[in-house]
Amino acid sequence: MADCGEPDGPGNKDDIARSKNEGKELTKEEKQRLRKQKKQQKKHKERKNEKGPSETEKDETPVSLLPPPPPVATQKAPSALPAPASAPIPVPASAPFHSSPAPSPADKPAKSKAELKAERRARQETDRAAKQPGSSSSGIKTKVPLSELNPVVKRLPEHVQVDDPAVVKRLAKKLERQQIPLRSDYGYKVSLFSHLHQYSRKAPLTQLLSIPSTVIHPSIVRLGLQYSQGIVAGSNARSVALLHAFKQVIRDYTTPPNEELSRDLVNKLKPYISFLNQCRPLSASMGNAIKYIKKEISNIPSQCKEEEAKTKLLKCIDRYIEEKIVLAAKAISKYAIEKISDGDVILVYGCSSLVNHILCEAFEKSRKFRVIVVDSRPRLEGREALRRLVQRGISCTYVLISALSYILPEVSKVFLGAHALLANGYVMSRVGTSQIALVARTFNVPVLVCCETYKFCERVQTDSFVSNELDDPDDLMVTRKGKTQLENWQDVSSLGLLNLVYDVTPPDFVDLVITDLGMIPCTSVPVVLRVKNLDQ
Amino acid sequence: QEEKRLVEYFRTQVRQDPEVPSAVAAIRTLLEFLKRDQSETILGLRENLTQTIRRLEEADSSVAVSSGGELFLRFISLTSLEHPDLSQCKKVMVERGELFLKKISLSRSKVAKLCHTFIKDGAKILTHSSSRVVLKVLESAAADKKRFTVYVTESQPDSAGRQMADKLQNLNIPVTVVLDAAVGYIMEKVDLVIVGAEGVVESGGIINKIGTYQLAVCSKAHNKPFYVVAESFKFVRLYPLNQQDVPERFKYKADTLKAVEDLAEEHPMIDYTPPSLITLIFTDLGVLTPSAVSDELIKLYL
């Protein structure tokens, strides 16, 4: 309303105009804005004398939202997120834009109009940002480098935006900075899943690494290779291997001079985590473990000596493994055994370390039951479970998942493991699990999911498309009698092979979730998350 | 002998005041026991209390006694008992016990206050067997000058439904007794179904007199709301997966459990209704959906 742009006394008029606009709203963002404008006032006065480019840049960052809208808008649309995510990109682009209109009295009125508009725009962004929990409008103020964005701001993780070239470029730049090779996708991706990575096992990331690799610790390199080749598989196994590798890293770590252990070690871990992510996308349990370690490291008091700090950290990790995995398994078996009665026929799917543990414990406690192991291609993990159970002496039957509706009338209970439990009660597990839960529900067979609490994650997902993992499509090729079907699948342009790893089961199909805290219905997962957050 | 005396006390409580819920009588007994107890350590006290609860369960095998007893135990030991002197501790525990007792004696009226607004003028209500909470709800709705008619199922094998019908007639509420088998027949006429509960389990389902499950399935098929009224001390830490999974000690009356060898011949007195068939549960903690029950239980027990 006051952008009439009068040329005289531009500084004062701008202020009045701005404060008139601002005077109505009294939100925190507005007060911050007022403060910023007062700073800008001072700088306008300074600019009349000299140019202060760096400060202008910093202050003009909100204004930079206004210029070239098209790339900014399209960037914002997919991530649907406020300023902090997109602000960094336009900063380099718009810096030249703003250094050119050199602050001159003639330009002042035009800039004030533009500034007002930009500030209004920025206000909208901050309001939208304020609606996102925990995001701060101060994110706009700080000069934010590309990858170290405000960690509280929730944004779409990069590994589910593979079809967006800007995100891929950003990721490439980040990896280059961390000196980690970028793994390229392999083969034609089915269109519904083109937003996910698809790697080939024949091209492990380590082939692109130089030897010796100074950036990445050798035990992490080994771990990455084990992940990508499938040698270490299964949610618990991967987390435990990760924690052991981190223990080795901590043991070999020495604080460089003039650095604090608590900050430097966390920064050291970042490239390792990116590397492991490139080898195989991190699981929810690994994510929680890493969060825990980072918290422990940053909580080390600065006066603590290096040796002391290291032993403390090692003990913390050991205790985490002991409490969250080993003892949790014992607690879960205790509850689960109450649910196994004599004469039961139990159905299990794939190879879940926890479910196998429960069944072995129940057998030790002399419950009489028999097990039906359901298996599916291409991983055929059920064979490993079958091996373990038969070794203990439990009588088992083995079927493929296509025979599921045939054997379900015999079954009295279904025990499933979980990869993660999402905040809306959905169960993320090996692909095929939701099918089993669905068919079991129609036959009225109770479905029990066993999951430790450290696998609970804050994510919300209602379908298996948004965030998943694509495994090597070559695994789907099968060689029988010397002939390999699908050998030349790459030559057929309209053929895509899809090897999904996870799927998501809605809570209506699950009757009971057994955790180390007790037996809870699937809808109570957010309650547990809330209780856990209070504890921490 | 001590235990026998307590069981007698419990029985007299129940006999003297038939309106009192059996759990409240049990808790009164436990409070008495606490006052009289002679043990030297807190651990010994707890052990004795658990023993007594078990004795009371043997006397009256309803779910409410077991849940009430466990809640009582948790409630009194919830305080940090830092007093060095045992008698001090006991005094604190007794105080808390009295407080707990007072709270739960008021629970039935709280439930009635919450629920009677859901009964609209001209409603036709179907209920099952004889429940004192449902009676209280209908009483307060009638006191609110609402006009409604009630259908009660006969609820064999003990014909408890007829007693309920008598009580309702004394309140001048028009009531009809129907056969258990006629539930499907009458369902299209009724507007809502209200039942009590002997126990509310962790999944949000309820344990109630046999025939409740049928009622729930029928009302779901006809899309009629199925309401449960229960006090909060009936929340129990069980999680049955199906009818078979309910522990045997709750299924039959206490005398039957002691007398009969082969329980396969006996007919169970209760059944389990899963949460998917229940619309709302009215408790003194508020009006809950079945999935919120677990939340409340976690708050109560953890």
Side-chain angles (χ1 to χ4, degrees):
Chain A
M1 73 186 198
D3 34 1
C4 30
E6 282 140 16
D8 53 289
N12 295 340
K13 285 286 173 161
D14 291 349
D15 301 344
I16 297 174
R18 251 175 263 128
S19 45
K20 263 196 195 161
N21 264 335
E22 278 15 281
K24 295 183 187 153
E25 292 121 353
L26 296 166
T27 59
K28 220 188 332 179
E29 290 86 56
E30 299 323 304
K31 291 192 185 127
Q32 266 175 337
R33 189 150 302 294
L34 276 169
R35 259 179 266 140
K36 234 199 312 173
Q37 274 137 28
K38 283 194 186 113
K39 251 200 282 176
Q40 276 176 340
Q41 265 178 38
K42 286 191 201 140
K43 268 157 214 152
H44 283 158
K45 287 191 184 126
E46 278 174 19
R47 254 191 261 141
K48 279 187 184 160
N49 306 330
E50 63 189 54
K51 285 187 195 169
S54 58
E55 284 179 313
T56 347
E57 256 188 3
K58 198 155 92 165
D59 277 346
E60 300 308 288
T61 330
V63 191
S64 69
L65 290 170
L66 179 59
V72 180
T74 50
Q75 182 108 49
K76 273 194 277 219
S79 45
L81 262 205
S86 49
I89 309 284
V91 165
S94 60
F97 175 88
H98 277 289
S99 46
S100 43
S104 53
D107 282 352
K108 276 285 172 173
K111 206 186 249 175
S112 77
K113 219 199 272 189
E115 258 183 349
L116 277 172
K117 247 198 227 164
E119 266 147 15
R120 226 177 294 144
R121 189 92 180 286
R123 209 185 314 145
Q124 277 174 12
E125 299 303 328
T126 47
D127 286 347
R128 224 194 301 156
K131 287 210 191 105
Q132 302 274 346
S135 69
S136 50
S137 50
S138 59
I140 305 178
K141 272 198 217 165
T142 54
K143 224 193 297 191
V144 176
L146 275 177
S147 62
E148 287 169 48
L149 292 176
N150 194 342
V152 183
V153 174
K154 292 205 174 87
R155 59 193 175 110
L156 272 182
E158 286 145 342
H159 68 267
V160 298
Q161 282 186 292
V162 177
D163 54 350
D164 185 357
V167 176
V168 176
K169 230 187 349 177
R170 214 179 342 150
L171 178 66
K173 267 197 225 160
K174 169 177 159 199
L175 289 177
E176 212 180 290
R177 222 193 12 236
Q178 293 174 333
Q179 294 173 291
I180 296 170
L182 175 68
R183 201 170 180 192
S184 48
D185 285 347
Y186 166 76
Y188 171 72
K189 279 193 270 186
V190 174
S191 62
L192 268 174
F193 292 93
S194 57
H195 60 283
L196 299 169
H197 283 297
Q198 183 171 279
Y199 300 128
S200 164
R201 201 163 293 135
K202 290 197 279 272
L205 195 57
T206 45
Q207 280 179 350
L208 303 166
L209 272 183
S210 58
I211 306 237
S213 142
T214 46
V215 179
I216 305 178
H217 193 279
S219 59
I220 301 277
V221 175
R222 183 177 69 173
L223 188 65
L225 200 59
Q226 283 173 332
Y227 282 166
S228 65
Q229 301 300 94
I231 299 172
V232 173
S235 174
N236 275 341
R238 283 166 70 188
S239 310
V240 173
L242 175 76
L243 290 169
H244 282 303
F246 274 175
K247 270 170 62 180
Q248 187 59 41
V249 167
I250 291 177
R251 263 185 235 123
D252 296 338
Y253 171 77
T254 44
T255 326
N258 303 333
E259 289 279 355
E260 255 192 53
L261 180 134
S262 54
R263 253 167 279 171
D264 187 58
L265 188 53
V266 177
N267 288 340
K268 273 263 164 50
L269 289 180
K270 285 204 180 118
Y272 299 165
I273 296 169
S274 311
F275 173 74
L276 289 174
N277 210 358
Q278 286 289 93
C279 291
R280 193 178 160 186
L282 295 180
S283 65
S285 50
M286 290 163 71
N288 285 344
I290 290 173
K291 247 187 266 185
Y292 174 77
I293 293 182
K294 281 195 182 160
K295 194 175 76 126
E296 286 298 310
I297 294 177
S298 35
N299 281 346
I300 299 250
S302 43
Q303 55 266 38
C304 205
K305 281 201 294 256
E306 191 181 306
E307 278 312 309
E308 249 184 73
K310 287 195 337 190
T311 32
K312 198 156 104 105
L313 283 175
L314 292 175
K315 253 203 288 234
C316 274
I317 295 183
D318 277 332
R319 205 182 52 211
Y320 187 81
I321 298 180
E322 181 70 24
E323 272 178 29
K324 307 279 179 160
I325 303 178
V326 178
L327 287 181
K330 285 211 183 89
I332 293 179
S333 343
K334 194 171 65 107
Y335 291 121
I337 286 175
E338 290 171 28
K339 288 292 167 202
I340 301 179
S341 28
D342 287 342
D344 258 347
V345 180
I346 298 179
L347 187 130
V348 297
Y349 177 62
C351 183
S352 163
S353 53
L354 189 54
V355 174
N356 291 339
H357 184 257
I358 291 173
L359 293 177
C360 297
E361 287 281 307
F363 194 69
E364 303 277 309
K365 299 238 163 54
S366 36
R367 289 272 200 280
K368 308 266 173 301
F369 58 91
R370 65 184 181 93
V371 177
I372 299 183
V373 180
V374 176
D375 202 7
S376 71
R377 278 198 67 231
R379 286 172 171 245
L380 291 174
E381 288 170 331
R383 295 191 178 175
E384 179 59 35
L386 188 66
R387 198 171 303 136
R388 288 189 205 169
L389 293 174
V390 170
Q391 256 182 359
R392 291 302 192 99
I394 304 176
S395 50
C396 301
T397 315
Y398 177 84
V399 288
L400 288 182
I401 196 166
S402 24
L404 188 60
S405 47
Y406 170 74
I407 42 133
L408 256 175
E410 290 181 15
V411 175
S412 63
K413 290 193 180 77
V414 177
F415 271 76
L416 299 172
H419 170 86
L421 236 60
L422 306 174
N424 57 349
Y426 280 66
V427 179
M428 182 175 213
S429 185
R430 184 69 78 219
V431 65
T433 312
S434 62
Q435 191 179 337
I436 300 210
L438 173 66
V439 184
R441 164 64 66 175
T442 46
F443 279 89
N444 259 327
V445 175
V447 174
L448 287 77
V449 169
C450 310
C451 182
E452 301 96 333
T453 45
Y454 86 105
K455 288 185 190 160
F456 285 19
C457 73
E458 302 260 330
R459 222 154 47 137
V460 171
Q461 219 177 301
T462 50
D463 57 58
S464 320
F465 296 99
V466 164
S467 173
N468 207 327
E469 194 184 322
L470 294 177
D471 210 359
D472 194 350
D474 290 336
D475 284 349
L476 292 181
M477 296 197 291
V478 60
T479 310
R480 277 211 190 96
K481 300 183 191 169
K483 266 204 303 192
T484 311
Q485 313 286 20
L486 294 176
E487 194 167 3
N488 303 313
W489 69 274
Q490 306 250 30
D491 302 336
V492 183
S493 57
S494 52
L495 180 62
L497 295 189
L498 182 63
N499 190 357
L500 275 180
V501 182
Y502 298 119
D503 72 9
V504 155
T505 310
D508 336 327
F509 296 154
V510 177
D511 289 297
L512 172 61
V513 175
I514 309 183
T515 67
D516 36 322
L517 289 177
M519 297 191 268
I520 57 174
C522 223
T523 44
S524 289
V525 169
V527 179
V528 171
L529 279 170
R530 192 177 66 210
V531 167
K532 260 198 336 170
N533 284 340
L534 287 178
D535 286 342
Q536 288 170 347
Chain B
Q1 315 80 309
E2 182 69 38
E3 290 164 350
K4 268 211 206 123
R5 249 191 307 147
L6 283 164
V7 172
E8 260 315 304
Y9 185 87
F10 174 69
R11 290 235 171 87
T12 32
Q13 288 271 329
V14 175
R15 237 175 307 145
Q16 274 175 353
D17 189 4
E19 284 300 305
V20 77
S22 46
V24 174
I27 291 172
R28 273 204 203 121
T29 322
L30 288 172
L31 208 53
E32 248 330 289
F33 172 77
L34 188 60
K35 286 188 197 140
R36 287 190 222 161
D37 182 58
Q38 305 289 340
S39 50
E40 297 294 307
T41 62
I42 297 204
L43 199 60
L45 187 63
R46 276 187 74 95
E47 273 182 21
N48 286 348
L49 274 174
T50 353
Q51 271 277 39
T52 330
I53 295 179
R54 215 153 289 150
R55 285 283 159 279
L56 287 176
E57 275 177 29
E58 283 179 18
D60 179 353
S61 70
S62 64
V63 184
V65 170
S66 136
S67 68
E70 215 192 306
L71 271 170
F72 176 74
L73 209 54
R74 278 205 73 85
F75 197 77
I76 56 176
S77 35
L78 207 55
T79 50
S80 47
L81 299 164
E82 327 161 310
H83 306 270
D85 189 10
L86 182 68
S87 51
Q88 273 272 26
C89 280
K90 263 184 53 173
K91 216 155 52 99
V92 170
M93 283 168 114
V94 168
E95 270 171 28
R96 289 187 66 83
E98 307 257 321
L99 194 63
F100 187 60
L101 198 59
K102 217 182 330 159
K103 241 182 20 153
I104 60 177
S105 316
L106 301 168
S107 52
R108 212 182 260 171
S109 19
K110 275 196 222 163
V111 178
K113 210 163 37 148
L114 280 174
C115 188
H116 80 256
T117 46
F118 278 71
I119 299 176
K120 301 199 174 55
D121 217 13
K124 296 201 187 59
I125 303 173
L126 176 58
T127 184
H128 182 69
S129 184
S130 169
S131 162
R132 288 166 291 202
V133 194
V134 178
L135 193 61
K136 191 102 202 263
V137 169
L138 295 176
E139 208 182 299
S140 40
D144 215 12
K145 308 263 191 296
K146 296 219 178 97
R147 286 162 298 186
F148 53 91
T149 52
V150 182
Y151 297 93
V152 191
T153 57
E154 203 185 23
S155 169
Q156 297 289 9
D158 55 0
S159 286
R162 298 204 176 267
Q163 294 171 5
M164 181 79 163
D166 289 334
K167 287 189 222 161
L168 283 170
Q169 261 175 350
N170 290 343
L171 294 169
N172 288 328
I173 299 175
V175 57
T176 319
V177 178
V178 296
L179 291 174
D180 295 339
V183 164
Y185 173 77
I186 200 94
M187 190 54 78
E188 54 188 39
K189 282 204 224 168
V190 301
D191 298 318
L192 66 150
V193 183
I194 304 184
V195 298
E198 298 207 16
V200 179
V201 293
E202 263 193 277
S203 58
I206 58 165
I207 294 184
N208 199 20
K209 186 78 185 298
I210 189 117
T212 315
Y213 181 46
Q214 251 152 254
L215 204 59
V217 174
C218 268
S219 64
K220 183 84 181 195
H222 283 266
N223 278 323
K224 307 282 180 188
F226 186 86
Y227 297 133
V228 173
V229 284
E231 302 100 314
S232 64
F233 56 78
K234 289 186 177 158
F235 283 19
V236 65
R237 294 218 78 180
L238 279 179
Y239 203 126
L241 296 171
N242 46 27
Q243 304 298 335
Q244 282 181 320
D245 220 8
V246 181
E248 301 256 308
R249 65 183 201 273
F250 295 133
K251 279 200 205 167
Y252 310 98
K253 278 208 163 16
D255 317 325
T256 336
L257 282 170
K258 275 186 270 199
V260 172
E261 283 301 320
D262 186 10
L263 286 169
E265 298 284 310
E266 289 297 316
H267 200 279
M269 295 296 289
I270 56 162
D271 65 16
Y272 164 68
T273 309
S276 47
L277 302 171
I278 302 174
T279 326
L280 285 177
I281 304 185
F282 295 88
T283 68
D284 48 328
L285 301 167
V287 183
L288 307 170
T289 56
S291 32
V293 170
S294 172
D295 198 349
E296 291 296 322
L297 269 171
I298 291 182
K299 269 196 269 188
L300 280 175
Y301 277 102
L302 276 183

